[in-house]
Amino acid sequence: MKKMNFFKCPAPFLIVGGVLSGFVNGLLGAGGGIIIVFVLSRLLKSHAEQRDIFANALCVMLPISVVSCIIYVLRGQISFDGFPPLIIPAIAGGIVGGLLLCKIRTGALKKLFAILVMISGVILIFK
Amino acid sequence: MLIILLIVAFIIAVLSGMGVGGGGLFVIYLALFTDIPQLQIQGINLAFFLFSSTASLTVHLTGRKIFWSAVAVMSLSGIIGALWGSMLSTNIDQELLRKIFGAMLIISGILSLKSSLKNTSKQKETKI
C-alpha cells in the first residue's frame, strides 16, 4: 500500500487530527491541543517557529471550544452561576502568559508541568 | 477562599498562555480541591479557556504567521469531533468521565515530555 506523503497530501492528516482533537475537547472539556500542535508541527516544520505553531493551534482550538461549550449548555447540565469572577483573571492571565511566552524559555517549566499533569492524572483515576 | 481561587485562576491562565501544562490545569485544580461534579468542571474550564486564550491570541498574533487553510480544515473537522465528543460526555457516568480525563492527562503528559526532551536535545545539537 502506497504510503501517504504528508506534505503532498496533508488534508487527511489535518482532518483526522482535527476530528480527534475536537472529540477529546468535547468529551473532556480540555486537551486535544497537543494533537493539533503535533499535526501542525509536522506540516509546518520548516515554515514556522514554535510560537507560530502555538498561535495557529490556538486559532484552531477556539471554535472547537466554543462548540463544545455550547453543546454543554444546550444539554442543560451545567450552570455558569459562579463563573463571572473568573473572567478577569482569565483575561489578565492570558495576556501576561502571551507576553511571557516571547520573553521566557519555557523548556524547564513545560517538563515540570508535564510531570505534574501525569501525577494528577494518576490521582484522578484513583480518586 | 474566593481570593485563592482567583489567584489560582490567574496563574493557570498565565501558564496556558505560555503553552505550559495543556488546557486541563483548571480541571485538575477543581477536581482535586472542590466537590464540583466533573461535567460542570469541564464546562467551566471550556468557558475559562475561551477567555484566556482569546486574550493570549490578541497579544500573540502580532508578527505571527497564521496558515489559514490549515487552520480552517482543522477547525471544521474539530467542530465535528467536538459535537460528537460533547454529546457523548453528557451521556456518560461522571465518575467514568473523570477517570478517562485522568488517562488523557497521563498520555498528554507523556507526549508533552517526549516533545520537550526532543526539543532540548535538538538545541544541544545545534550548540555543538
Side-chain angles (χ1 to χ4, degrees), chain A residues 34 114 117-118, chain B residues 21-22 103-113:
Chain A
I34 198 159
V117 159
M118 281 194 275
Chain B
M104 182 278 282
L105 288 180
I106 296 176
I107 297 174
S108 167
I110 293 176
L111 293 176
S112 198
L113 202 56

Side-chain angles (χ1 to χ4, degrees), chain A residues 69-85:
Chain A
C69 200
I70 290 177
I71 301 287
Y72 275 40
V73 169
L74 287 179
R75 301 284 271 178
Q77 296 185 9
I78 59 170
S79 99
F80 287 113
D81 272 339
F83 185 75

Side-chain angles (χ1 to χ4, degrees), chain A residues 50-114:
Chain A
Q50 277 272 354
R51 286 176 290 173
D52 291 316
I53 294 178
F54 187 58
N56 279 272
L58 281 183
C59 290
V60 175
M61 290 300 287
L62 274 176
I64 291 178
S65 304
V66 167
V67 169
S68 298
C69 200
I70 290 177
I71 301 287
Y72 275 40
V73 169
L74 287 179
R75 301 284 271 178
Q77 296 185 9
I78 59 170
S79 99
F80 287 113
D81 272 339
F83 185 75
L86 296 173
I87 294 181
I88 294 189
I91 295 178
I95 292 176
V96 171
L99 292 172
L100 284 180
L101 179 61
C102 314
K103 309 257 161 81
I104 289 191
R105 287 265 214 89
T106 49
L109 256 182
K110 277 191 182 170
K111 293 190 189 97
L112 171 66
F113 273 88

